[in-house]
């Protein structure tokens, strides 16, 4: 008997939407390198997601591998976030540096992400 995770996904989406904020993320398309012109991106796309930002725990702050501006967050999105996607949140620019989909089966409940400014 298979478990239906859709109601759990809906609940997580509603909680993140109610207690978080809507953010527009930007993803660069194919990036090319031309020795004379440098790096260029041929296209950009955007998507909107709801996120809840969290404070770092004391253990994370004491860990020397994390930078001071690393922010853990939960994200609800129909578009799968990728490392390198960028967003402006509360007038500060952030880049996704880690993505973990929380998915007990084939249904994604939410994304656990880490942002860096």
């Amino acid at each position: 008997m298979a478990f239906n995770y859709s109601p759990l996904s809906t609940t997580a989406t509603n909680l993140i939407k109610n207690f978080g904020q809507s953010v527009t993320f930007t993803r660069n398309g194919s990036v090319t390198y031309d020795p004379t012109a440098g790096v260029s991106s041929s296209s950009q796309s955007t998507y909107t997601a709801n996120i809840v930002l969290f404070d770092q725990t004391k253990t994370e702050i004491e860990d020397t591998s994390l930078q001071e501006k690393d922010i853990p967050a939960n994200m609800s999105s129909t578009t799968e976030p990728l490392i390198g996607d960028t967003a402006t949140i509360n007038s500060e620019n952030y880049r996704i540096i880690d993505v973990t989909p929380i998915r007990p089966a084939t249904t994604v409940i939410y994304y656990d992400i880490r942002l860096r400014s």
Side-chain angles (χ1 to χ4, degrees):
M1 181 170 137
F3 185 78
N4 182 8
Y5 288 99
S6 295
L8 185 58
S9 177
T10 302
T11 300
T13 299
N14 289 336
L15 287 170
I16 292 171
K17 185 177 180 180
N18 290 339
F19 295 103
Q21 58 185 315
S22 180
V23 175
T24 300
F25 285 86
T26 303
R27 178 177 297 164
N28 288 326
S30 59
V31 177
T32 58
Y33 178 75
D34 180 1
T36 58
V39 176
S40 66
S41 176
S42 63
S43 65
Q44 285 187 336
S45 61
T46 60
Y47 62 95
T48 303
N50 291 304
I51 65 168
V52 175
L53 302 174
F54 297 102
D55 291 331
Q56 291 179 327
T57 64
K58 185 176 179 182
T59 305
E60 288 177 325
I61 292 171
E62 292 172 354
D63 185 1
T64 58
S65 67
L66 295 177
Q67 293 186 6
E68 185 176 329
K69 289 290 188 164
D70 285 0
I71 298 176
N74 287 345
M75 175 181 191
S76 173
S77 175
T78 56
T79 303
E80 182 175 0
L82 297 176
I83 293 173
D85 291 355
T86 59
T88 301
I89 305 167
N90 302 329
S91 302
E92 194 161 347
N93 295 322
Y94 291 94
R95 178 175 50 92
I96 296 177
I97 61 166
D98 187 35
V99 177
T100 304
I102 306 303
R103 113 179 99 212
T106 58
T107 303
V108 174
I109 307 300
Y110 65 91
Y111 297 96
D112 188 26
I113 63 172
R114 186 165 293 275
L115 301 167
R116 180 172 288 166
S117 63

